[in-house]
Coordinates of all heavy atoms in Angstrom, one line a residue:
V119 N -20.7 -4.0 -20.2 CA -22.1 -3.5 -20.2 C -23.1 -4.3 -19.3 O -23.8 -3.7 -18.5 CB -22.8 -3.6 -21.8 CG1 -24.3 -3.3 -21.8 CG2 -22.1 -2.5 -22.6
E120 N -22.9 -5.6 -19.3 CA -23.7 -6.5 -18.5 C -23.4 -6.3 -17.0 O -24.3 -6.5 -16.1 CB -23.5 -8.0 -18.7 CG -24.0 -8.4 -20.1 CD -23.5 -9.7 -20.7 OE1 -22.8 -10.4 -19.9 OE2 -23.9 -10.1 -21.8
Q121 N -22.3 -5.7 -16.6 CA -21.9 -5.4 -15.2 C -22.2 -4.0 -14.9 O -21.6 -3.4 -13.9 CB -20.4 -5.7 -15.1 CG -19.9 -7.2 -15.4 CD -20.7 -8.2 -14.6 OE1 -20.9 -8.0 -13.4 NE2 -21.2 -9.2 -15.3
D122 N -22.8 -3.2 -15.8 CA -23.1 -1.8 -15.7 C -21.7 -1.0 -15.6 O -21.7 0.0 -14.8 CB -23.9 -1.5 -14.4 CG -25.4 -2.1 -14.5 OD1 -25.9 -1.9 -15.6 OD2 -25.9 -2.5 -13.4
M123 N -20.8 -1.5 -16.4 CA -19.5 -0.8 -16.5 C -19.2 -0.5 -18.0 O -18.1 -0.4 -18.3 CB -18.4 -1.7 -16.1 CG -18.7 -2.3 -14.5 SD -17.5 -3.5 -14.0 CE -15.9 -2.8 -14.1
G124 N -20.3 -0.4 -18.8 CA -20.1 -0.2 -20.2 C -19.3 0.9 -20.6 O -18.7 1.0 -21.7
S125 N -19.3 2.0 -19.8 CA -18.4 3.2 -20.2 C -17.0 3.1 -19.8 O -16.2 4.0 -20.1 CB -19.0 4.5 -19.6 OG -19.0 4.4 -18.3
D126 N -16.6 2.1 -19.0 CA -15.3 1.9 -18.6 C -14.2 1.6 -19.8 O -14.7 1.0 -20.8 CB -15.1 0.6 -17.6 CG -15.6 0.9 -16.3 OD1 -16.3 2.0 -16.0 OD2 -15.4 0.2 -15.4
P127 N -13.1 2.2 -19.7 CA -12.2 2.1 -21.0 C -11.6 0.7 -21.1 O -11.4 -0.1 -20.1 CB -11.2 3.1 -20.7 CG -11.0 3.3 -19.1 CD -12.5 3.0 -18.7
I128 N -11.4 0.2 -22.4 CA -10.6 -0.9 -22.6 C -9.3 -0.5 -23.3 O -9.5 0.3 -24.3 CB -11.4 -1.9 -23.5 CG1 -12.8 -2.2 -22.8 CG2 -10.5 -3.0 -23.9 CD1 -13.7 -3.0 -23.7
W129 N -8.1 -0.9 -22.8 CA -7.0 -0.6 -23.4 C -6.2 -1.8 -23.9 O -6.1 -2.8 -23.1 CB -6.1 0.1 -22.4 CG -6.4 1.5 -22.1 CD1 -7.5 2.1 -22.0 CD2 -5.4 2.5 -21.6 NE1 -7.4 3.4 -21.5 CE2 -6.2 3.8 -21.3 CE3 -4.0 2.5 -21.4 CZ2 -5.5 4.8 -20.9 CZ3 -3.4 3.7 -20.9 CH2 -4.1 4.8 -20.8
M130 N -5.7 -1.8 -25.1 CA -5.0 -2.9 -25.7 C -3.5 -2.4 -25.3 O -3.0 -1.5 -26.1 CB -5.1 -3.0 -27.2 CG -4.2 -4.0 -27.8 SD -4.6 -5.7 -27.4 CE -6.2 -5.9 -28.2
T131 N -2.9 -2.9 -24.2 CA -1.7 -2.4 -23.9 C -0.5 -3.2 -24.3 O 0.7 -2.7 -24.1 CB -1.6 -2.3 -22.2 OG1 -2.0 -3.7 -21.7 CG2 -2.6 -1.4 -21.7
E132 N -0.8 -4.3 -25.1 CA 0.3 -5.1 -25.6 C -0.3 -5.9 -26.8 O -1.2 -6.6 -26.6 CB 1.0 -6.1 -24.7 CG 1.9 -5.5 -23.8 CD 2.7 -6.6 -23.0 OE1 2.9 -7.8 -23.5 OE2 3.2 -6.4 -21.8
T133 N 0.4 -5.8 -27.9 CA 0.1 -6.7 -29.0 C 1.4 -6.6 -29.9 O 2.2 -5.7 -29.9 CB -1.2 -6.5 -29.7 OG1 -1.5 -7.6 -30.5 CG2 -1.2 -5.2 -30.7
G134 N 1.5 -7.6 -30.7 CA 2.6 -7.6 -31.8 C 2.9 -8.9 -32.3 O 2.5 -9.9 -31.9
W135 N 3.8 -8.8 -33.3 CA 4.3 -10.0 -33.9 C 5.9 -9.9 -34.1 O 6.3 -8.8 -34.6 CB 3.7 -10.1 -35.2 CG 2.3 -10.6 -35.2 CD1 1.8 -11.7 -35.3 CD2 1.1 -9.8 -35.0 NE1 0.3 -11.8 -35.1 CE2 -0.1 -10.5 -35.0 CE3 1.0 -8.3 -35.0 CZ2 -1.3 -10.0 -34.8 CZ3 -0.2 -7.9 -34.7 CH2 -1.4 -8.7 -34.7
P136 N 6.7 -10.7 -33.7 CA 8.1 -10.6 -33.7 C 8.6 -10.9 -35.2 O 8.1 -11.9 -35.8 CB 8.6 -11.6 -32.8 CG 7.6 -12.8 -32.7 CD 6.3 -12.0 -33.0
V137 N 9.5 -10.1 -35.6 CA 10.2 -10.3 -36.9 C 11.0 -11.6 -36.7 O 11.7 -11.6 -35.6 CB 11.0 -9.1 -37.2 CG1 12.0 -9.4 -38.5 CG2 10.1 -7.9 -37.7
G138 N 10.9 -12.5 -37.6 CA 11.5 -13.8 -37.4 C 10.5 -14.8 -37.5 O 10.6 -15.9 -38.1
H139 N 9.3 -14.5 -36.8 CA 8.1 -15.3 -37.1 C 7.3 -14.8 -38.2 O 6.6 -15.6 -38.9 CB 7.2 -15.4 -35.8 CG 7.9 -16.1 -34.6 ND1 8.3 -15.4 -33.5 CD2 8.0 -17.4 -34.5 CE1 8.9 -16.4 -32.7 NE2 8.8 -17.5 -33.3
V140 N 7.5 -13.5 -38.5 CA 6.8 -12.9 -39.7 C 7.8 -12.0 -40.3 O 8.9 -11.6 -39.6 CB 5.5 -12.1 -39.3 CG1 4.5 -13.0 -38.7 CG2 5.9 -11.0 -38.3
T141 N 7.7 -11.5 -41.4 CA 8.5 -10.6 -42.2 C 8.3 -9.2 -41.6 O 7.1 -9.0 -41.0 CB 8.3 -10.6 -43.7 OG1 7.0 -10.1 -44.0 CG2 8.5 -12.1 -44.2
P142 N 9.1 -8.2 -41.8 CA 8.8 -6.8 -41.3 C 7.5 -6.3 -42.0 O 6.8 -5.7 -41.3 CB 10.0 -6.2 -41.8 CG 11.1 -7.1 -41.7 CD 10.5 -8.4 -42.2
T143 N 7.3 -6.7 -43.2 CA 6.2 -6.2 -43.9 C 4.8 -6.8 -43.3 O 3.9 -6.2 -43.1 CB 6.2 -6.5 -45.4 OG1 7.4 -5.8 -46.0 CG2 5.0 -6.0 -46.2
E144 N 4.9 -8.1 -43.1 CA 3.7 -8.8 -42.4 C 3.5 -8.2 -41.0 O 2.4 -8.1 -40.6 CB 4.1 -10.3 -42.4 CG 4.0 -10.9 -43.7 CD 4.5 -12.4 -43.5 OE1 5.4 -12.8 -42.8 OE2 4.0 -13.2 -44.4
Q145 N 4.5 -7.9 -40.4 CA 4.4 -7.4 -38.9 C 3.7 -6.1 -39.0 O 2.8 -5.7 -38.4 CB 5.9 -7.0 -38.3 CG 5.7 -6.4 -37.0 CD 7.0 -6.0 -36.5 OE1 7.8 -5.3 -37.2 NE2 7.3 -6.3 -35.2
A146 N 4.0 -5.2 -40.0 CA 3.2 -3.9 -40.2 C 1.9 -4.1 -40.6 O 1.0 -3.5 -40.1 CB 4.1 -3.1 -41.3
E147 N 1.6 -5.0 -41.6 CA 0.2 -5.4 -42.0 C -0.6 -5.8 -40.9 O -1.8 -5.6 -40.7 CB 0.2 -6.4 -43.2 CG 0.9 -5.8 -44.5 CD 1.0 -6.9 -45.6 OE1 1.0 -8.0 -45.2 OE2 1.4 -6.4 -46.7
N148 N -0.1 -6.8 -40.1 CA -0.8 -7.4 -39.0 C -1.0 -6.3 -37.9 O -2.3 -6.2 -37.4 CB 0.1 -8.6 -38.3 CG 0.2 -9.8 -39.1 OD1 -0.6 -9.9 -40.1 ND2 0.9 -10.7 -38.6
L149 N -0.2 -5.4 -37.6 CA -0.4 -4.4 -36.6 C -1.4 -3.4 -37.1 O -2.3 -2.9 -36.4 CB 0.8 -3.5 -36.4 CG 2.0 -4.3 -35.4 CD1 3.2 -3.6 -35.5 CD2 1.3 -4.4 -34.0
Q150 N -1.5 -3.1 -38.5 CA -2.4 -2.3 -39.0 C -3.8 -2.9 -38.9 O -4.9 -2.3 -38.4 CB -2.3 -2.0 -40.5 CG -3.1 -1.1 -41.2 CD -2.9 -0.8 -42.6 OE1 -2.4 -1.7 -43.3 NE2 -3.2 0.3 -43.1
K151 N -4.0 -4.2 -39.3 CA -5.2 -5.0 -39.2 C -5.7 -4.9 -37.7 O -6.9 -4.8 -37.4 CB -5.1 -6.4 -39.6 CG -5.0 -6.4 -41.1 CD -4.7 -7.8 -41.5 CE -4.3 -8.0 -43.0 NZ -4.0 -9.4 -43.4
A152 N -4.7 -5.2 -36.7 CA -5.1 -5.3 -35.3 C -5.7 -3.9 -34.9 O -6.6 -3.8 -34.2 CB -3.9 -5.7 -34.5
A153 N -5.0 -2.8 -35.3 CA -5.4 -1.5 -34.8 C -6.7 -1.2 -35.3 O -7.6 -0.7 -34.6 CB -4.4 -0.5 -35.1
V154 N -7.0 -1.4 -36.6 CA -8.3 -1.1 -37.1 C -9.5 -2.0 -36.6 O -10.5 -1.4 -36.1 CB -8.2 -1.3 -38.8 CG1 -9.7 -1.3 -39.3 CG2 -7.3 -0.3 -39.4
Q155 N -9.2 -3.2 -36.4 CA -10.3 -4.1 -35.7 C -10.5 -3.5 -34.2 O -11.7 -3.5 -33.8 CB -9.7 -5.5 -35.6 CG -9.7 -6.2 -36.9 CD -9.3 -7.7 -36.7 OE1 -9.7 -8.3 -35.8 NE2 -8.7 -8.2 -37.8
S156 N -9.4 -3.3 -33.6 CA -9.5 -2.9 -32.2 C -10.3 -1.5 -32.0 O -11.2 -1.3 -31.2 CB -8.2 -2.8 -31.6 OG -7.5 -3.9 -31.5
L157 N -9.9 -0.5 -32.8 CA -10.6 0.7 -32.8 C -12.0 0.6 -33.2 O -13.0 1.3 -32.8 CB -9.9 1.8 -33.8 CG -8.5 2.2 -33.2 CD1 -7.6 2.9 -34.2 CD2 -8.5 2.9 -31.8
A158 N -12.4 -0.2 -34.3 CA -13.7 -0.4 -34.8 C -14.6 -0.9 -33.6 O -15.8 -0.8 -33.6 CB -13.7 -1.3 -35.9
A159 N -13.9 -1.8 -32.7 CA -14.7 -2.4 -31.6 C -14.7 -1.6 -30.4 O -15.1 -2.1 -29.4 CB -14.1 -3.7 -31.3
S160 N -14.2 -0.3 -30.5 CA -14.3 0.7 -29.4 C -13.3 0.5 -28.3 O -13.5 1.0 -27.2 CB -15.8 0.7 -28.7 OG -15.8 -0.3 -27.8
V161 N -12.1 0.0 -28.7 CA -10.9 0.0 -27.7 C -10.6 1.5 -27.5 O -10.6 2.3 -28.5 CB -9.8 -0.8 -28.3 CG1 -8.9 -0.1 -29.4 CG2 -8.9 -1.1 -27.1
D162 N -10.2 1.9 -26.3 CA -9.9 3.3 -26.0 C -8.4 3.7 -26.3 O -8.1 4.8 -26.7 CB -10.3 3.6 -24.6 CG -11.8 3.4 -24.3 OD1 -12.3 4.4 -24.6 OD2 -12.2 2.3 -24.0
K163 N -7.6 2.7 -26.2 CA -6.1 2.9 -26.3 C -5.5 1.7 -27.0 O -6.0 0.6 -26.7 CB -5.4 3.3 -25.2 CG -5.8 4.4 -24.4 CD -5.3 5.8 -25.0 CE -5.8 6.9 -24.1 NZ -5.5 8.2 -24.6
F164 N -4.5 1.9 -27.8 CA -4.0 0.8 -28.6 C -2.3 0.9 -28.6 O -2.0 1.9 -29.1 CB -4.5 0.6 -30.0 CG -3.9 -0.5 -30.8 CD1 -4.6 -1.7 -30.8 CD2 -2.8 -0.4 -31.5 CE1 -4.1 -2.8 -31.6 CE2 -2.3 -1.4 -32.2 CZ -2.9 -2.6 -32.2
F165 N -1.7 0.0 -28.0 CA -0.2 0.0 -27.9 C 0.4 -1.3 -28.4 O -0.1 -2.3 -28.1 CB 0.2 0.2 -26.5 CG -0.2 1.5 -25.9 CD1 -1.3 1.3 -25.1 CD2 0.5 2.6 -26.0 CE1 -1.9 2.6 -24.4 CE2 0.0 3.7 -25.4 CZ -1.1 3.7 -24.6
M166 N 1.3 -1.1 -29.4 CA 2.1 -2.3 -29.8 C 3.1 -2.6 -28.8 O 3.5 -1.7 -28.0 CB 2.7 -2.1 -31.1 CG 3.7 -1.1 -31.2 SD 4.5 -0.9 -32.9 CE 5.5 -2.5 -32.9
F167 N 3.6 -3.8 -28.7 CA 4.5 -4.3 -27.8 C 6.0 -3.8 -28.3 O 6.4 -4.1 -29.3 CB 4.6 -5.8 -27.5 CG 5.6 -6.2 -26.5 CD1 5.5 -5.9 -25.3 CD2 6.6 -7.1 -27.1 CE1 6.5 -6.4 -24.3 CE2 7.5 -7.6 -26.2 CZ 7.5 -7.3 -24.8
Q168 N 6.6 -3.0 -27.4 CA 8.0 -2.5 -27.6 C 8.2 -1.5 -28.8 O 7.8 -1.8 -29.8 CB 8.9 -3.6 -27.6 CG 9.0 -4.4 -26.3 CD 10.1 -5.4 -26.2 OE1 10.5 -5.8 -27.2 NE2 10.5 -5.7 -25.0
W169 N 8.9 -0.4 -28.4 CA 9.2 0.6 -29.4 C 10.4 0.1 -30.2 O 10.4 0.3 -31.3 CB 9.3 1.9 -28.7 CG 10.1 2.9 -29.5 CD1 11.2 3.5 -29.4 CD2 9.3 3.7 -30.6 NE1 11.4 4.6 -30.4 CE2 10.3 4.6 -31.1 CE3 8.1 3.6 -31.1 CZ2 10.0 5.5 -32.1 CZ3 7.7 4.5 -32.2 CH2 8.7 5.4 -32.6
S170 N 11.4 -0.3 -29.5 CA 12.7 -0.8 -30.2 C 12.6 -2.3 -30.6 O 11.7 -3.0 -30.1 CB 13.9 -0.5 -29.3 OG 13.8 -1.3 -28.2
N171 N 13.6 -2.7 -31.3 CA 13.5 -4.2 -31.8 C 14.6 -4.9 -31.1 O 15.8 -5.1 -31.7 CB 13.7 -4.1 -33.3 CG 13.6 -5.5 -34.0 OD1 13.4 -6.5 -33.3 ND2 13.5 -5.5 -35.2
P172 N 14.4 -5.4 -29.8 CA 15.5 -6.1 -29.2 C 15.5 -7.6 -29.8 O 15.0 -7.9 -30.7 CB 14.9 -6.2 -27.7 CG 13.4 -6.1 -27.9 CD 13.1 -5.3 -29.1
A173 N 16.2 -8.4 -29.2 CA 16.6 -9.8 -29.6 C 15.3 -10.5 -30.0 O 15.3 -11.5 -30.8 CB 17.5 -10.5 -28.6

Side-chain angles (χ1 to χ4, degrees):
V119 166
E120 291 167 2
Q121 304 301 315
D122 292 325
M123 301 168 64
S125 63
D126 284 10
I128 299 172
W129 286 30
M130 177 70 65
T131 55
E132 282 188 27
T133 193
W135 291 264
V137 171
H139 292 108
V140 296
T141 68
T143 299
E144 289 170 329
Q145 181 190 49
E147 291 169 352
N148 287 349
L149 285 167
Q150 182 182 31
K151 290 174 188 175
V154 167
Q155 287 182 36
S156 297
L157 294 169
S160 78
V161 76
D162 293 274
K163 303 281 183 180
F164 181 91
F165 299 94
M166 68 177 283
F167 180 63
Q168 295 186 337
W169 173 248
S170 64
N171 189 346

